[in-house]
Structure formats: structure tokens, C-alpha cells
Amino acid sequence: MTRGYSIYLDAIRFLASLLVLFSHVAYPRYSNGDLIWMRELNLGSDAVILFFVLSGFVIAYTTDAKSRTGASYAQARMARLYSVLIPALVVTLLCDFAGRSIDPGAYQGWWFNAHNPLEQVLRALTFSTQAAGDNIRVGTNGPFWSVAYEAWYYAAFGIAVFARGWVRLALLALTVTCAGLSIILLAPCWLAGVALQSVCARKERAQIAPRTAWVLAVGPWVIYALWLAIDLPQTLTSLTFILTFAITGVAQTPFQWLGFADEFLWNNLLAILFAAHFFGVYRLAQDGSWVSVKWETTIRWLAGATFSIYLFHYPLLTLFHALPGYEAANPLHYGGAGIVTLIVCFGLAELSERRLSQWKRIFDGVLGLTDKYRSGGSARKAAVL
């Protein structure tokens, strides 16, 4: 991976995390409908699919480049997930408790799950909140759903790469069975990133003309805008409803049946677009000379809080919404809530994902590894949702 391409990936995943954050600020309960266009375009959900593609690409890249063993792969993935997951669970529980104490009414809605907090924590720690057809929200932390999906993709990828023979087949079959239909339906989005890495890793496949690279880099965004203009996502969701009724015989919404995979037709189509875009940029970004060292440092630092922004922001937003005097119709209030949330997330990142090396040492001990993972540059490449 060239320096220029690495910088670009860091920049775009940070921007995607901001899009997720402010697409949640756009809920009417926070901003009185002033930003409802973000909800109507469903930009936050599309940004999560971009994360899936990026994740598949970077995990495949780092696994290949570092020639990892199965144990070191498991260590890296567990440290990456738990370095933010555990602090996020603590923050979620504290924010929800404080917010409900201040204004219980702010937590009376679909966005908060008050049922059996202990079960929620245990299911979160085992990444089973979305497995086997379940759809368990962790307090107010709705974004956790995608982490629960990705953990299963990490596991399946590790098995596919490091296991052999009938053991691999048996473990993959068990993983697919336990994960369930919803997680499997979005797996192609993550695998699109793996496929992208495979193509980029073979130079003979990646040799395309600059003009073609520009078409691939820019074209997908044009197509994406056109698809939104003709409301293709809603058309595909309607088709999913028809398929749901044909299969189950029950007139239920796709979300009731598939949870967060309810837009899987659109999501998988979108993943292809994103993968094509990233391939085009890969051919164009042969070096990083177009980015000054100063900007590179800034971009790397911002991107180093991406996971924290994603996993901490929702409980914080809901807590700020519960504070006395909060007015959803006041741009200063919802704008301030979004900005303060972002600032707090950066602070929490210093205690979570920016301490990844310490978490890796913990899992070194848990897994009995002797090879420590200390490379800061490689850590940056591995730092993706």
C-alpha cells in the first residue's frame, strides 16, 4: 500500500465517521427535523457499508503483509475490538444512567433498550447481539450492531485463512450457522474489500490506464448520486418487502425480519461501487507527495479516533439531549451537542484505540503469544472498523 493511498483511506474513513455522527444528530428529537434530509438519504447507513469495504480490505492487507499466524491474527482482532468495545460499554451504561436520572422521557422510545442490562453487556462482549436472528440493542448504543456483524466476518476470515481441511469446513459451517441470515446477507460487502485487496496485491491485475483509473475513482460517486436521485434504495427495499412476504407469508417489514440487513440488496450493490472507487484511487495514488507531512500527521491523528467516534457518539448525544434546557429547534443546541460529542469522542479515543499497544499486550498474555506487535506504522494500517 502506497503512502498516498494509506493517507486517502485514513481521510475518507474519518469523514465517514463524521457522516454517521451527524446523520444521527439529524433525528428530529435532536434537531427538530432541520437536518432530516440526511435521514431521508440514509447517508449514515451508506457510510457504514463503506466501513465494511474498508475493513475487509485492510484486514486482508495486514494479514497478508504481516504473514501472521492464526494466534497473532486473533490477538490483533480481539485487541482492536475490545480496546473500544469495553470502554464503550462503560460509557453507554454511565450515560444512559445519568440521562435517565435527568430526563426519563428522553429515553422513552425505540432508541433505548432498558431490558436486562446484564444480558446486553454479556451479549455485547460475545458479539452475539445480532447473531442467529437476534436484534438486541445495547442501551442507546445503536451503532454497535455493525461491530457485532464485523466480529463474525473477522472470525470467518481467520478460519478461512488459517484453518485447513475438514477443520476449516466444519468451523466455517458452524460460524455461518451461529451468525445467522442477517449477518450473512451483508457479508458480501465486507468480502468486496477482501476482493479489492486481492486484485491490488497482484500487480498484473492492477495495471490499468490512468484514464480508466479516473473513471473508476470518480464514476462511482456520480452513479451513487444518480441512484439516490431516482430513489433506487427505496425501490430495492420495496423489492425486499415483496421477497420477505413471498418467503415468510407474513406482511412484516424487512427490518422486522432481517434487522440491519433489511437493505441488503442496496448495500451489496453499494459495496461494489465503493470497491470500484477504491481501486481507481489505488491506481492514482502512487505516492503521497501531494500531501504535506503536516497534513499527513493531522489526517493520521483524526483517523486514529474513527472507531471511538463511531462507538461512543450515540449515548453521548442522547445524554446531551436529556440535559435541562435542551431545545431541538435551536441550531446552537443541536450543533453544539454534535461538536461537543465529537470532542469528547476524541478524548475517549486517548483511553481506548490510541492505547492499542497496551491492549495487544493484554491479549499476548491471554493467548500466550511471544511475538509482540509494536510497529506504530502497521498499527495505523490495522486501525480500521
Side-chain angles (χ1 to χ4, degrees):
M1 187 189 303
T2 65
R3 172 173 167 263
Y5 194 53
S6 178
I7 295 170
Y8 178 78
L9 296 185
D10 275 348
I12 200 167
R13 68 190 180 90
F14 171 68
L15 293 175
S17 71
L18 292 184
L19 190 57
V20 172
L21 190 162
F22 285 99
S23 73
H24 288 147
V25 175
Y27 276 119
R29 65 180 180 277
Y30 297 129
S31 54
N32 198 44
D34 291 351
L35 304 175
I36 196 63
W37 60 272
M38 296 186 71
R39 300 304 316 164
E40 293 173 344
L41 292 176
N42 209 16
L43 298 179
S45 176
D46 292 350
V48 173
I49 301 306
L50 185 146
F51 279 135
F52 277 3
V53 176
L54 275 178
S55 176
F57 174 82
V58 176
I59 298 307
Y61 172 79
T62 55
T63 301
D64 179 59
K66 299 171 76 63
S67 300
R68 281 181 168 146
T69 64
S72 63
Y73 173 84
Q75 172 241 26
R77 301 280 57 80
M78 291 172 67
R80 175 60 179 160
L81 289 169
Y82 284 114
S83 66
V84 181
L85 170 61
I86 293 175
L89 287 175
V90 173
V91 169
T92 300
L93 292 173
L94 291 177
C95 285
D96 290 352
F97 177 79
R100 293 179 74 194
S101 300
I102 296 170
D103 181 10
Y107 290 78
Q108 294 178 359
W110 58 264
W111 54 87
F112 175 62
N113 179 14
H115 178 70
N116 200 340
L118 179 59
E119 179 189 2
Q120 293 178 39
V121 170
L122 293 176
R123 294 294 292 272
L125 290 172
T126 55
F127 304 103
S128 60
T129 56
Q130 302 293 317
D134 285 340
N135 186 2
I136 299 174
R137 194 179 185 90
V138 182
T140 55
N141 205 328
F144 181 78
W145 74 267
S146 69
V147 180
Y149 275 53
E150 283 201 66
W152 289 93
Y153 302 151
Y154 292 168
F157 181 77
I159 292 168
V161 171
F162 298 107
R164 295 291 182 268
W166 68 267
V167 174
R168 174 164 55 187
L169 294 176
L171 289 177
L172 282 175
L174 178 63
T175 300
V176 168
T177 302
C178 292
L181 178 62
S182 296
I183 292 175
I184 298 306
L185 286 175
L186 291 190
C189 299
W190 199 85
L191 290 173
V194 176
L196 172 64
Q197 189 277 333
S198 178
V199 173
C200 293
R202 291 169 171 78
K203 293 183 179 180
E204 68 277 6
R205 294 184 181 180
Q207 296 304 314
I208 58 174
R211 181 177 299 178
T212 303
W214 275 108
V215 171
L216 289 173
V218 178
W221 294 115
V222 176
I223 295 172
Y224 175 61
L226 289 174
W227 282 350
L228 291 182
I230 65 174
D231 205 14
L232 181 61
Q234 183 56 49
T235 300
L236 294 177
T237 300
S238 298
L239 177 59
T240 305
F241 177 83
I242 296 172
L243 292 174
T244 299
F245 180 74
I247 294 172
T248 66
V250 179
Q252 56 184 342
T253 66
F255 186 80
Q256 289 174 314
W257 185 43
L258 300 174
F260 288 97
D262 59 332
E263 295 182 311
F264 74 95
L265 293 176
W266 164 249
N267 293 157
N268 286 301
L269 191 61
L270 191 58
I272 296 173
L273 275 189
F274 287 147
H277 164 74
F278 287 130
F279 180 60
V281 175
Y282 173 82
R283 293 296 299 124
L284 295 174
Q286 294 302 304
D287 58 59
S289 60
W290 46 273
V291 179
S292 69
V293 174
K294 177 182 177 181
W295 280 110
E296 178 182 1
T297 301
T298 301
I299 291 171
R300 301 291 194 194
W301 183 82
L302 292 172
T306 298
F307 199 4
S308 297
I309 294 170
Y310 184 79
L311 212 51
F312 288 123
H313 77 273
Y314 213 133
L316 290 167
L317 275 179
T318 309
L319 172 60
F320 294 144
H321 169 247
L323 295 177
Y326 185 94
E327 296 179 7
N330 190 331
L332 291 177
H333 286 201
Y334 63 74
I339 293 172
V340 172
T341 293
L342 182 61
I343 293 172
V344 174
C345 287
F346 274 113
L348 291 170
E350 298 297 330
L351 305 175
S352 55
E353 60 185 309
R354 297 197 200 276
R355 296 290 177 266
L356 190 58
S357 59
Q358 288 90 327
W359 286 92
K360 287 182 183 296
R361 283 196 289 271
I362 292 173
F363 286 101
D364 275 343
V366 171
L367 298 174
L369 297 179
T370 57
D371 53 324
K372 304 298 183 180
Y373 178 65
R374 295 190 176 97
S375 172
S378 296
R380 284 195 299 269
K381 294 174 185 175
V384 69
L385 273 174

